Amino acid sequence: MLISLHNITKEFHNEEVVTKVLHGISFEVEAGEFISIMGPSGSGKSTLMHIMGFLDRATSGVYKFHEKNVTGLQDDELAAWRNTKIGFVFQAFNLLPRTSVLENVKLPLVYCHHKKFDPTQRAVKVLESVGLGHRLEYHTNQISGGEKQRVAIARALVNEPSVIFADEPTGNLDSKSGAQIMKLLQDLNEDGNTIILVTHETYTSEHAKRIIKIMDGQITDDYKVQHRRRAHDGELLK
């Protein structure tokens, strides 16, 4: 089992005010799944992703990753797991400005002193795999929104993570670019990558193989997608 969550809760404290966001979340993720966590703004889906991606901690409950209970790990241990096991793709891209596409993708390897790969060779290979081999020396302010998201996906892939979290990855894109990104995510999943997509859009969520719906910090539904949408080049994401 890749991920196991049992009775996860999360609350935030601000002086005398306690805001409860997650209320007993439990589910499991097998390696190779493509799951969409779907819910409206304020439902708790991003908070859940932050906990699963080691960006935040649960208030209570048990989180197992690769069968290891990571609930009580120290901050430096969580950071090490996050840097080597998790890939992130965000709506806002979060790329370094005035820096080349190649340098952006190399950064995670340099940051964690990865010894498995030569940073440049690995970054070039991954960028070629997402169709950006011709953009290596371009700065991130010289490429389109769809290309920026491909760079972000390449950066997420460069460490060979166990799971990729895509948080509203089409939110800042036009419909055609959004469809191309969904096709890329589906292709990556077909190659064996585990994808967890966070979205508020029903249409986008239906590109996954399984949908987990969240409302007010609780799971309201969890089911396999019977008629999965398949993204194609040139399609418009509606």
Side-chain angles (χ1 to χ4, degrees), residues 183-196:
K183 181 181 186 302
L184 178 56
L185 291 175
Q186 288 184 330
D187 289 345
L188 290 172
N189 178 244
E190 295 301 324
D191 289 339
N193 293 280
T194 306
I195 310 288
I196 297 180

Side-chain angles (χ1 to χ4, degrees), residues 31 37 39 43 46 56 64 67 78 82 109 111 121 123 127 139-140 144-145 168-169 175 178 205 214 220 229 231:
I37 298 177
S43 61
S46 291
D56 200 357
K64 291 185 178 180
E67 307 292 339
L78 280 181
R82 183 172 64 247
L109 295 174
Y111 182 74
Q121 291 180 358
L127 281 163
H139 283 193
T140 54
S144 69
E168 303 280 8
S175 59
S205 72
I214 293 184
T220 59
R229 295 187 184 275

